[in-house]
Amino acid sequence: MNSPATTAVAHDHGHDESKFHIYVQIAMLLAVITGVEIIAIYLPFAKWMIVTGLVVLSTVKFMFVIFYFMHLRWDKPFCTILFFIGLVLAGGTMWALLQLFAVEASLPLPT
Amino acid sequence: MSSHAATIDHHHDPSTSTGIPNKKLLMWAFLASDCMFFGTLISTHLIYRLHPPAGGLRPVEVFDVALTSFSTFILLMSSLMMALAVNAIQKGNVKSCRWSLLTTILFGTIFLGCQVFEFNDFVVEKHMTLSNSLLGTTFYTLTGTHGTHVAIGVLWLGLMYVRSFKPTTTEGQNVWLTTLLHLVALFGAVLLALKVVLGLVWSIQGFEGHTLATFVSREFLPMAGLLICTGGLFWFGRARTPVDFTQHHAIDVESMGLYWHFVDIVWIVIFTAVYLLEYL
Amino acid sequence: MRFSSFLQPLARWSGRAGLALAGLALLPGCKFYDIWRMDGHQSTLVVDGPVARSQRDLFYVTCWVTLVIFILVGAVLAYATWKFKARNAADEHAEPPEQGHGNPLVEMGLIAGSVLALVIIAYPTLTSLWYTYDVPTEEKKDAYEITATGYQWWFKFEYPHEQINGAGALTASNELVIPAGRAVRVNLRTVDVIHSFWIPKLAGKVDMIPNRANFLWLKADQPGYFWGQCAEYCGDSHAVMRFRVVALGPKEFNEWLDSQLQGARSVAVKTAAAGQAKAQFAALRTFKTNEAGVTDKFEVAPLEAWRAKQFPEKNEDGALIAQGKALFTSKTCMACHTIRGHGAVGVTAPDLTHLGSRTTIAAGLLENNREQLQRWIHNPAAVKPGNKMAKGYIDNKISLTPEDEAALVAYLESLK
Amino acid sequence: MDALAKSDFHSKEESAPAKPFVLWRPTAKSGLIDWLTTVDHKKIGFLYGFFALIFFLVGGFEALLIRTQLMFPNSDVLTAQQYNRMFTMHGTTMIFLAVMPLGAAFFNIIMPLQIGARDVAFPRLNAFSLWTFCAGAIIVNIGWFLPSDRWGAPDAGWFGYSPLTSKGFNPAHATDFWIMGLQLLGVASIAAALNFIVTIINMRAPGMTMMRLPVFVWMTLITSFLIILSFPAITIALVELMMDRQFGTNFFEVSGGGMPILWQHLFWVFGHPEVYILILPAMGIVSEILPCFSRKPLYGYPIVVFSGASIGFLGFAVWSHHMFTTGLGAVATAAFALATMCIAVPTGVKIFNWIGTLWGGHLQMRTPMMFALGFIWMFMIGGFSGIMHSAAPADAQQQDSYFVVAHFHYVLIGGSIFALLAGIHYWFPLIFGKKVSEFWGKLSFWVIFIGFNTTFFPQHFLGLNGMPRRTFTYDPNMGWNTANFISTIGSYVLGVGMLIYFVVIVYTYLKGKRIGHDVWDGRTLEWSIPNPPPEYNFRVIPTVHARDAWWYEKHHKEEIAQEQAEHAKAEAAHGGIHMPFSSIYPFVASFGILIASIGITAFDSNPAPGIHWKLGLSLTGGIVMFIGIYLWSLEGNEGYHLHLDDESHAPETKPSAKPH
Ligand code: HEA
Ligand code: HEA
Ligand code: CUA
Ligand SMILES: [Cu+2]
């Protein structure tokens, strides 16, 4: 039902035609990473290595989604800044909270 | 704004100071806020995981990694479809956009179905409820809140999908009724499909007296309803008058997409921090 | 408005006069001097222990540093306001001054100055923090341990190292007795909501938080008598959740421990004087709501008053006491209270084994004398809003005649 | 309301396209329907201010009752429970229902004018924020009017520490009202803040770069960021608490392994940024007033802006300074103590720059200036007692004593309220076209100033002398009698001062003389337009050439006139001034939320009795809300165009212009 005027696709953006493929490729990549993560938890490596690996992999997924699916890569940097203010503060708060609850003084009473 | 050229630069809106469309900016600011929202919620869960009360349930005894992996995959795919929907409408391809939206709705619903199944399984089989353990408390609240976000997303997607049929001229038509019925058909189909499929799965599993034999009688009415609703979907989805849904509305789809992707990335974090880490 | 231009100077002057008056009213020499005398029972400035002293000294550091800054900045501000004020209409409408925008060097200098001031505060903050946090290593060996538990709205004190055969640790309520000159480490627990344990003259507060193993340490320089208070809002009667602390020299402390380790006292029955005393009690006056529960008695020598309480009264009425003892069981008081040796083993309420030897009842609210005891058991709800004993009265359908009250009071008083 | 409604409005309007009934847009320009459906940022701001001042009086009245009870030892003006309700509601009301919405009022009215915009980015969202705020305010206060055994007003303190708020210790629905009310206020604040952020980032007039924004706009922006980033924390905390109360979860339930301390962390993660939410707008206002009455630009503008941002940022890293006595461990306590001290630096920078602004100026001692100077003095004292708190070991003696009460009233009244009162005086001529008498203004300032100091200065001594806060009574032998007495007398004086202030404001509003344009010889864009501001704000969207944009315009008249004529032509060619339609749906949605929330608060963890009406109410409300939002999205963000004629008076449709 597209009106004829709008069928002419913009040519000033080189990325436009290829986005479809980029999206599909990224989705595949994300699926693969998820698969790797699931396998990783059963691997016989040291716990810290796996944890680090998982965190890195999730971060990679996270970044792919926000920069590609959510267009940050192609948008004005201000959007990225805006979102990262929230992300960094939330991350910092989470870190601080977990740290506060990990210290000895915060252990709950033994039951 | 009537004088817009045939091509729209979707990354620049000349009417704003920064060139970023207002709605996009609003959505990003909201997502920044939502980071904090889920940040505190996930913190709560992790803090209590750090100090599980003695004798409580152990997560690995409860979780089902296969199911969760499946729903994670589904949500990722829905994100892909969402991205495609945005891409399509930006090029003015309404039809393709609609199909992508529908697929996104479908995947979102499957995800929700998985969650219903999971919760049901945890409560009935694993005896973990909201109130009988700290793990249940934080787990259900966290994943439930995420699920609510998904549900709101599905609702939004559905409204957008139906909206894409809004005719350019409303003269002499009962747009009202059509829209309402269309909505009913869509969400009727979604919910009934959910019910039927869950019923089927439970029947295969032999869960709580469900059997394949009772499946048909039990789900007869819902299936009939599903049929009707699907018919309605096709009926209302037939080609009609020109619609008021073009490239210019891409920004609406796009901000909805931002929300949807965000829900996805929250799940990426939950999947790792709440599920996978337990298995180490 | 026209008349306002006439009143303008008046407004200005009334403002100044008002300021001056307010200043005068606050000056020492006026009647209001007791604001400046910072030596109340809960003063944080006139203190009696090293922990509170460290905290007070830190306070003075912050106080002086900020005072100096205030005077410097305030002087400049006052000068600027005075100097650059437009004094007349011509001045007001004069060509605007040069439109400058700031000077980075000045800014940097002031920032550096502020940072320096903060360092002056931060250093003693850190040293005091580590000192006040836990008993210093060299005193650890000698430190005395006590567990304090908050209840809505009273305190229980346990002495984990003073075990009584078969009855667990020695328990006291609402009056904490500690050894003077010795570090005391108090474990802080609560059975219900958050309370906070605060004896201003000995140490700053630390909260009693459910599911959390808090503690604090304190030390009294000298034997003495101190006022304490729950400092975290904990419901209806938070305001009257108080307690007292008695610090004793080593010898006296040990004597006190010995006496406490005994069960409750029993008084021989001498029937003679019974009726007379009863009448005397029954005639006790009624109290207004919110009437103060304390007199100025302690102001002079509270510790002496406490010491006096340790010995039985001269002419006790044995019969009345026996009657009270019986009532304590029959009126189901024992369901909640413990009186060690008299068969009462309730744990939801203050231990009354040695109630008679305390200076206050109802968590530091009322002085421990006949009148107040009767006032309390007559109608606890009127004294302490929402308290659990009043609820117990209703649940257990307890009603007391004046005679009952008299007997119970006599009995409670005899529990030395 | 008159003055606002009858703004200078001479124009021809285009008629709206034909629409189905439910999507018909209201067109009333005055009367109740207008107020309920308006999307005009000035009217919305006015309503915010109006409600906020009402609640300020309510909160003040509660404060006077508190002080009356404490005037003498052992008095029984109030019962313990009444007293506890009083301070809980006083704190909650003042913070969430008075100072925050008053800030929002200024954001709404002034900010768009200062950046040269015709409205906020999402006018209907703005109306939604307002009405949701009202819903929250109603729910928080509704308990006063219900029987107090099962319902009642909240009495768990303004930070509602668990487990005192759990069902076990607080079975009445009072706490549910508090939870739900705060929840709605949070939604309203976040929605409003998002709107302001987008407006400031995206709706600036040409040439209004970020570093040309008036400081008040900067502070609005930073405050809005603080709101969207801190409110989620309390939202989660409240959700968890509500789940505990209604569905028996274990978040703060000790028997199930919950840790009540978690509530404190979540609350203060919100709570500390919240206090900067209260003070930054005030600092913004003062940063506007001082330059105006010193007839000099703000000293060190970039540094003032940057320090505001760093205060906001640091504000997220210091929350545990409210928890120094909860036994965090020495390292954590030290870290938070030091972080807290750091905030003194950017705050000090602001004070220094304000003094720098005065330096060398021609200070005009008008009422707003008096309040602004009073602000500097009082805020400094409050800030210094804040620094005393930040020395953690010393705070162990001060926490929960009247020293804290003194600290936060110095920053809240001496800070926020003084600046807000200054702002009311300052912008009153702009908003209503009338000016408050200098005499009465200054008189009220002095009475307030003296009353305030007499009330709260002695409280420092009370605190150091060991008087705990939140106590409904005290014994006469503690050495607190005199200070309490003076404090109470002071609060009456303060009350009289406030009374004078508001009576004068209302009087001026009703009876005041109209005054001319730009009374203060202002510096920023809001003074460039007629007062009261026309619906469309700017006849021509200004082009900004310098930081104090209006000041620049006044000194480059010809250049600007020429430029404006061109812009006007360009705009006319574009179809005139675009104005958004009014809409009833934000109100409908908020109303639905109100109904649903009342239903939900009535749930018990054992929902047997009366479950039907509760569920029914919640569902009805939910449906109303949904319908509201759906129709809101369907009706679209359309508007109409205004065509101003050349001189913006004598339009064809309304031949006789109103005389002024
Ligand atoms: C408007 C609100 C506001 C503001 C701006 C502040 C500002 C500050 N506050 Fe305050 N605060 C509250 C509102 C506010 N506060 C409230 C409501 C509570 C109590 C909540 C409750 O319990 O109910 C509270 C409680 C509170 C506590 C907890 C007390 C306790 O309960 O134990 C602490 C502890 O550190 C604290 C510290 C500070 C500090 C360091 C600042 C700093 O930002 C102040 C900085 C300013 C200055 C220092 C003055 C100017 C600076 C200079 C002239 C430069 C040079 C100065 C130096 C180098 C020192 N505040
Ligand atoms: C912005 C916030 C704000 C403001 C403006 C105020 C304003 C005032 N506050 Fe408030 N206060 C808080 C925030 C605020 N307060 C908070 C957060 C708490 C902690 C609550 C808690 O512990 O949970 C608190 C607690 C608090 C207490 C401690 C209670 C306790 O711990 O037991 C006291 C006691 O004096 C007090 C007094 C006052 C007074 C006298 C005013 C005055 O400034 C009020 C002035 C205003 C008026 C007087 C109203 C105007 C005039 C009229 C209504 C006309 C009628 C009057 C006359 C004719 C006289 N406040
Ligand atoms: Cu216990 Cu306050
Ligand atoms: Cu703070």
Side-chain angles (χ1 to χ4, degrees):
Chain A
M1 257 132 288
N2 8 342
S3 62
T6 51
T7 40
V9 172
H11 287 287
D12 49 351
H13 293 294
H15 57 261
D16 261 13
E17 295 101 300
S18 49
K19 261 205 201 146
F20 180 87
H21 299 289
I22 293 183
Y23 287 154
V24 176
Q25 280 159 5
I26 287 175
M28 294 307 119
L29 186 68
L30 294 178
V32 171
I33 294 181
T34 308
V36 172
E37 283 183 328
I38 297 164
I39 296 166
I41 59 175
Y42 295 110
L43 291 181
F45 295 137
K47 188 172 164 172
W48 66 266
M49 282 167 71
I50 300 181
V51 172
T52 321
L54 284 180
V55 170
V56 169
L57 288 177
S58 307
T59 317
V60 169
K61 276 161 66 178
F62 194 100
M63 292 303 158
F64 266 114
V65 175
I66 61 172
F67 278 104
Y68 286 85
F69 283 179
M70 295 167 90
H71 295 238
L72 279 184
R73 188 171 175 278
W74 297 291
D75 271 338
K76 292 252 159 41
F78 185 78
C79 291
T80 314
I81 297 172
L82 188 58
F83 183 64
F84 271 73
I85 292 176
L87 194 61
V88 167
L89 274 179
T93 310
M94 279 181 75
W95 175 81
L97 277 172
L98 287 171
Q99 219 60 32
L100 277 167
F101 275 91
V103 298
E104 198 203 337
S106 291
L107 295 181
L109 281 174
T111 35
Chain B
M1 319 269 134
S2 50
S3 61
H4 257 299
T7 58
I8 298 175
D9 178 356
H10 288 286
H11 308 293
H12 190 80
D13 177 347
S15 67
T16 66
S17 316
T18 51
I20 305 167
N22 283 348
K23 283 182 184 166
K24 190 187 271 187
L25 206 57
L26 179 80
M27 195 39 87
W28 276 114
F30 170 73
L31 296 184
S33 170
D34 231 21
C35 279
M36 210 56 197
F37 185 88
F38 278 107
T40 25
L41 200 49
I42 295 174
S43 300
T44 305
H45 177 81
L46 293 182
I47 284 168
Y48 282 132
R49 277 299 300 137
L50 210 60
H51 304 301
L57 283 161
R58 292 204 316 123
V60 269
E61 295 161 2
V62 181
F63 290 171
D64 176 354
V65 82
L67 177 70
T68 316
S69 308
F70 173 68
S71 52
T72 307
F73 178 75
I74 287 293
L75 205 59
L76 275 176
M77 289 308 116
S78 80
S79 240
L80 170 64
M81 295 320 291
M82 187 69 240
L84 294 183
V86 176
N87 200 31
I89 190 65
Q90 282 182 345
K91 293 179 182 161
N93 192 343
V94 177
K95 207 172 219 163
S96 152
C97 174
R98 279 182 193 150
W99 276 110
S100 301
L101 286 180
L102 267 187
T103 330
T104 317
I105 293 176
L106 182 70
F107 284 163
T109 313
I110 296 178
F111 179 85
L112 286 176
C114 287
Q115 200 161 40
V116 173
F117 180 84
E118 184 191 39
F119 282 12
N120 201 55
D121 182 40
F122 288 1
V123 171
V124 180
E125 304 274 290
K126 313 280 177 52
H127 305 293
M128 177 173 87
T129 67
L130 249 186
S131 50
N132 77 354
S133 67
L134 202 48
L135 180 66
T137 293
T138 59
F139 173 82
Y140 288 122
T141 310
L142 172 56
T143 52
T145 308
H146 178 267
T148 313
H149 271 66
V150 176
I152 292 174
V154 169
L155 191 66
W156 191 355
L157 282 160
L159 295 177
M160 186 65 77
Y161 171 78
V162 173
R163 196 225 164 283
S164 77
F165 290 91
K166 185 179 172 195
T168 36
T169 53
T170 51
E171 219 93 338
Q173 299 181 41
N174 221 339
V175 181
W176 255 116
L177 201 64
T178 334
T179 310
L180 193 69
L181 289 176
H182 202 162
L183 270 176
V184 170
L186 177 62
F187 286 111
V190 164
L191 293 177
L192 290 172
L194 196 62
K195 178 159 185 354
V196 173
V197 173
L198 274 178
L200 185 64
V201 173
W202 279 325
S203 303
I204 294 172
Q205 276 197 334
F207 172 81
E208 286 215 321
H210 287 65
T211 60
L212 277 177
T214 59
F215 170 69
V216 179
S217 63
R218 203 192 285 263
E219 302 292 345
F220 181 73
L221 276 181
M223 281 198 282
L226 178 57
L227 222 61
I228 298 173
C229 287
T230 318
L233 262 190
F234 276 105
W235 167 256
F236 290 113
R238 77 198 189 285
R240 281 181 283 161
T241 44
V243 290
D244 177 24
F245 194 71
T246 64
Q247 278 184 325
H248 299 295
H249 300 91
I251 181 62
D252 294 337
V253 183
E254 195 181 343
S255 15
M256 180 174 72
L258 291 181
Y259 174 84
W260 188 261
H261 295 307
F262 180 76
V263 173
D264 184 28
I265 56 178
V266 170
W267 187 256
I268 290 178
V269 176
I270 292 180
F271 180 58
T272 309
V274 174
Y275 289 90
L276 290 185
L277 287 184
E278 296 294 350
Y279 287 86
L280 294 174
Chain C
M1 268 180 241
R2 180 159 308 215
F3 78 110
S4 70
S5 64
F6 157 70
L7 286 172
Q8 205 94 36
L10 194 76
R12 205 173 307 131
W13 281 110
S14 65
R16 285 175 196 170
L19 259 187
L21 265 179
L24 264 184
L26 295 177
L27 276 179
C30 285
K31 223 164 82 204
F32 296 139
Y33 67 94
D34 86 344
I35 296 192
W36 302 114
R37 284 187 35 200
M38 303 296 293
D39 59 351
H41 297 314
Q42 297 190 3
S43 172
T44 65
L45 299 182
V46 181
V47 295
D48 288 307
V51 178
R53 192 165 301 116
S54 162
Q55 291 162 334
R56 181 203 58 189
D57 292 346
L58 176 62
F59 167 73
Y60 279 137
V61 171
T62 63
C63 200
W64 284 116
V65 171
T66 51
L67 195 66
V68 169
I69 302 177
F70 182 69
I71 290 173
L72 289 177
V73 180
V76 180
L77 175 56
Y79 175 75
T81 317
W82 172 78
K83 174 82 195 312
F84 300 107
K85 185 168 155 181
R87 274 158 226 283
N88 49 43
D91 213 4
E92 285 206 340
H93 297 116
E95 225 359 59
E98 201 180 325
Q99 308 279 305
H101 274 287
N103 180 338
L105 269 181
V106 178
E107 308 269 4
M108 297 315 284
L110 288 169
I111 291 178
S114 310
V115 172
L116 186 73
L118 288 176
V119 172
I120 299 179
I121 295 177
Y123 181 73
T125 299
L126 294 184
T127 48
S128 173
L129 179 51
W130 258 270
Y131 176 67
T132 56
Y133 182 67
D134 202 349
V135 187
T137 346
E138 63 276 15
E139 295 185 49
K140 272 232 164 80
K141 242 183 25 272
D142 191 37
Y144 195 74
E145 192 182 351
I146 286 169
T147 300
T149 309
Y151 287 70
Q152 271 179 329
W153 291 273
W154 57 279
F155 290 93
K156 179 167 98 182
F157 303 113
E158 281 162 309
Y159 295 74
H161 298 299
E162 321 296 339
Q163 292 291 332
I164 302 162
N165 288 339
L170 172 63
T171 303
S173 319
N174 294 327
E175 276 184 22
L176 171 63
V177 180
I178 56 168
R182 203 169 148 188
V184 177
R185 197 176 190 275
V186 187
N187 300 313
L188 301 170
R189 302 290 183 271
T190 169
V191 297
D192 37 49
V193 301
I194 300 176
H195 304 276
S196 189
F197 181 85
W198 188 28
I199 312 155
K201 291 199 168 206
L202 297 183
K205 64 188 75 64
V206 174
D207 297 348
M208 303 163 136
I209 299 175
N211 211 355
R212 207 172 157 85
N214 277 351
F215 64 88
L216 61 63
W217 81 280
L218 49 80
K219 184 156 103 179
D221 296 331
Q222 304 286 329
Y225 186 93
F226 306 98
W227 272 251
Q229 165 94 38
C230 171
E232 185 65 64
Y233 176 58
C234 51
D236 285 351
S237 272
H238 158 66
V240 287
M241 178 168 170
R242 305 170 190 159
F243 64 106
R244 300 298 155 87
V245 180
V246 180
L248 300 175
K251 185 162 158 285
E252 210 183 353
F253 181 68
N254 282 330
E255 284 168 14
W256 177 81
L257 275 182
D258 287 342
S259 76
Q260 294 291 302
L261 287 168
Q262 312 295 320
R265 218 173 122 245
S266 289
V267 183
V269 184
K270 284 181 276 167
T271 32
Q276 197 187 347
K278 230 187 235 176
Q280 184 193 334
F281 275 113
L284 276 176
R285 70 184 173 98
T286 47
F287 287 81
K288 285 182 291 178
T289 14
N290 275 329
E291 186 168 333
V294 288
T295 58
D296 294 343
K297 191 161 126 199
F298 299 131
E299 298 326 74
V300 197
L303 190 56
E304 291 317 309
W306 181 83
R307 284 187 176 125
K309 276 271 172 197
Q310 303 309 304
F311 305 102
E313 316 248 317
K314 295 252 162 48
N315 39 12
E316 287 176 310
D317 183 339
L320 198 59
I321 290 171
Q323 198 184 335
K325 184 175 172 184
L327 278 169
F328 200 82
T329 307
S330 64
K331 293 288 178 185
T332 68
C333 312
M334 36 53 101
C336 303
H337 292 281
T338 292
I339 295 182
R340 209 166 358 107
H342 288 190
V345 289
V347 290
T348 56
D351 184 315
L352 302 180
T353 310
H354 297 283
L355 180 81
S357 66
R358 301 206 318 238
T359 47
T360 58
I361 57 163
L365 178 60
L366 307 176
E367 216 169 275
N368 188 5
N369 57 30
R370 277 178 198 173
E371 279 194 334
Q372 301 291 356
L373 264 173
Q374 196 210 13
R375 177 186 181 189
W376 172 255
I377 61 174
H378 176 69
N379 186 357
V383 179
K384 208 171 194 180
N387 89 73
K388 304 282 188 276
M389 178 155 146
K391 191 170 173 301
Y393 268 39
I394 297 167
D395 290 351
N396 300 354
K397 301 200 170 53
I398 298 179
S399 62
L400 302 174
T401 63
E403 285 72 26
D404 293 346
E405 284 167 13
L408 277 168
V409 168
Y411 171 58
L412 291 171
E413 277 207 301
S414 76
L415 296 170
K416 295 290 180 180
Chain D
M1 317 207 169
D2 230 35
L4 258 182
K6 272 195 251 144
S7 64
D8 221 353
F9 184 69
H10 312 293
S11 58
K12 193 179 74 185
E13 287 174 20
E14 288 168 353
S15 54
K19 285 226 167 189
F21 170 69
V22 277
L23 298 184
W24 193 256
R25 307 295 290 258
T27 51
K29 287 269 181 272
S30 60
L32 184 65
I33 295 297
D34 175 43
W35 286 111
L36 293 183
T37 61
T38 184
V39 294
D40 180 351
H41 69 99
K42 297 176 290 298
K43 287 185 182 166
I44 290 176
F46 176 84
L47 286 177
Y48 261 119
F50 181 75
F51 294 138
L53 291 179
I54 300 262
F55 281 115
F56 178 67
L57 294 185
V58 171
F61 182 68
E62 285 157 359
L64 291 183
L65 285 176
I66 290 175
R67 285 300 342 150
T68 309
Q69 162 79 2
L70 295 179
M71 192 164 182
F72 298 108
N74 288 317
S75 60
D76 56 355
V77 178
L78 302 174
T79 67
Q81 198 185 37
Q82 280 166 341
Y83 183 90
N84 296 340
R85 292 200 162 131
M86 221 45 89
F87 70 70
T88 302
M89 287 305 290
H90 163 70
T92 308
T93 303
M94 283 298 193
I95 286 183
F96 294 102
L97 307 182
V99 176
M100 278 189 74
L102 207 53
F106 283 118
F107 297 165
N108 258 307
I109 302 180
I110 305 302
M111 180 271 286
L113 298 180
Q114 286 194 330
I115 63 173
R118 292 221 165 97
D119 208 326
V120 292
F122 300 94
R124 286 176 297 163
L125 185 62
N126 206 13
F128 174 75
S129 308
L130 169 73
W131 297 118
T132 307
F133 158 75
C134 290
I138 290 174
I139 291 194
V140 173
N141 276 288
I142 203 169
W144 287 120
F145 308 102
L146 298 173
S148 72
D149 50 338
R150 286 205 46 229
W151 310 84
D155 64 352
W158 87 275
F159 39 72
Y161 275 1
S162 86
L164 192 59
T165 44
S166 69
K167 257 305 196 265
F169 298 106
N170 227 329
H173 285 305
T175 306
D176 299 316
F177 289 134
W178 182 80
I179 294 171
M180 200 40 127
L182 252 52
Q183 204 68 285
L184 296 194
L185 294 171
V187 171
S189 303
I190 291 182
L194 290 171
N195 210 343
F196 296 140
I197 291 177
V198 178
T199 308
I200 297 175
I201 302 291
N202 257 357
M203 311 277 287
R204 284 166 287 136
M208 180 62 90
T209 58
M210 292 306 272
M211 285 320 270
R212 282 182 186 162
L213 288 177
V215 177
F216 177 69
V217 177
W218 261 111
M219 294 306 128
T220 309
L221 183 65
I222 296 167
T223 307
S224 301
F225 268 105
L226 291 183
I227 290 177
I228 65 165
L229 296 172
S230 68
F231 265 89
I234 194 179
T235 306
I236 289 298
L238 290 169
V239 165
E240 292 176 353
L241 183 58
M242 195 179 87
M243 300 273 291
D244 272 6
R245 288 178 66 88
Q246 321 279 56
F247 305 113
T249 53
N250 298 308
F251 286 109
F252 310 117
E253 205 52 61
V254 179
S255 57
M259 292 188 265
I261 190 79
L262 179 63
W263 166 271
Q264 299 193 17
H265 282 292
L266 296 186
F267 185 90
W268 290 116
V269 164
F270 149 79
H272 188 79
E274 167 71 14
V275 307
Y276 292 120
I277 292 171
L278 302 175
I279 201 68
L280 288 176
M283 293 178 162
I285 293 173
V286 168
S287 306
E288 295 297 309
I289 291 177
L290 292 176
C292 176
F293 294 96
S294 308
R295 307 176 62 68
K296 243 178 113 239
L298 186 70
Y299 188 83
Y301 171 94
I303 304 192
V304 174
V305 168
F306 183 73
S307 64
S310 32
I311 290 175
F313 189 77
L314 283 173
F316 279 97
V318 300
W319 77 80
S320 288
H321 69 209
H322 295 273
M323 299 167 63
F324 281 153
T325 60
T326 57
L328 296 169
V331 178
T333 308
F336 279 102
L338 296 184
T340 304
M341 289 177 192
C342 292
I343 296 193
V345 177
T347 319
V349 163
K350 295 204 151 193
I351 305 249
F352 302 144
N353 283 285
W354 289 327
I355 298 178
T357 308
L358 301 178
W359 199 268
H362 291 276
L363 312 191
Q364 301 175 330
M365 290 298 163
R366 301 293 153 73
T367 312
M369 185 68 163
M370 307 279 277
F371 275 104
L373 290 173
F375 166 92
I376 303 183
W377 284 102
M378 296 299 103
F379 179 73
M380 222 167 17
I381 297 180
F384 289 141
S385 52
I387 293 301
M388 297 178 196
H389 283 309
S390 72
D395 186 60
Q397 291 283 22
Q398 296 154 6
Q399 190 261 356
D400 266 327
S401 79
Y402 262 81
F403 197 81
V404 184
V405 178
H407 158 65
F408 67 70
H409 283 92
Y410 264 87
V411 279
L412 284 169
I413 304 180
S416 310
I417 295 286
F418 269 41
L420 291 167
L421 296 183
I424 293 177
H425 262 287
Y426 179 56
W427 280 304
F428 197 86
L430 173 71
I431 302 170
F432 301 107
K434 297 168 177 180
K435 193 167 110 34
V436 180
S437 133
E438 280 295 314
F439 167 76
W440 289 102
K442 282 184 186 162
L443 182 72
S444 68
F445 168 76
W446 281 114
V447 180
I448 289 174
F449 186 82
I450 292 165
F452 166 66
N453 281 290
T454 325
T455 311
F456 293 106
F457 203 72
Q459 292 187 359
H460 291 109
F461 298 97
L462 278 177
L464 295 174
N465 217 350
M467 175 158 173
R469 65 192 278 205
R470 298 174 159 187
T471 47
F472 71 97
T473 186
Y474 56 94
D475 271 346
N477 61 344
M478 304 301 285
W480 304 331
N481 303 1
T482 319
N484 268 306
F485 182 77
I486 296 179
S487 176
T488 302
I489 296 299
S491 71
Y492 294 155
V493 176
L494 179 56
V496 171
M498 292 292 177
L499 205 63
I500 301 177
Y501 184 98
F502 286 109
V503 167
V504 173
I505 290 280
V506 173
Y507 174 85
T508 315
Y509 172 75
L510 296 174
K511 294 272 161 67
K513 271 210 313 268
R514 299 293 253 106
I515 42 98
H517 166 228
D518 192 11
V519 264
W520 309 121
D521 195 8
R523 314 179 68 83
T524 37
L525 279 179
E526 77 271 27
W527 298 107
S528 68
I529 59 176
N531 62 46
E535 192 186 21
Y536 47 84
N537 295 352
F538 296 93
R539 223 180 107 64
V540 176
I541 292 293
T543 304
V544 177
H545 299 276
R547 204 168 275 157
D548 284 332
W550 174 233
W551 190 262
Y552 179 90
E553 287 190 20
K554 283 191 279 193
H555 290 83
H556 299 77
K557 287 217 177 78
E558 294 94 87
E559 180 193 330
I560 296 294
Q562 200 179 341
E563 189 181 86
Q564 293 218 333
E566 277 164 29
H567 284 265
K569 241 180 250 147
E571 193 148 18
H574 261 88
I577 299 175
H578 178 86
M579 298 299 300
F581 281 133
S582 294
S583 168
I584 187 72
Y585 292 117
F587 180 80
V588 174
S590 301
F591 187 71
I593 291 180
L594 173 66
I595 305 288
S597 307
I598 292 179
I600 293 170
T601 46
F603 280 139
D604 293 291
S605 45
N606 169 21
I611 182 70
H612 295 296
W613 71 263
K614 293 167 187 170
L615 209 67
L617 209 59
S618 317
L619 284 179
T620 316
I623 291 169
V624 172
M625 172 187 86
F626 182 77
I627 292 177
I629 294 182
Y630 188 51
L631 293 182
W632 166 357
S633 67
L634 272 194
E635 68 181 4
N637 55 351
E638 297 149 7
Y640 56 96
H641 284 89
L642 286 180
H643 299 283
L644 301 187
D645 45 52
D646 275 353
E647 293 301 316
S648 106
H649 37 63
E652 306 115 65
T653 42
K654 292 178 203 157
S656 62
K658 277 181 262 68
H660 283 286

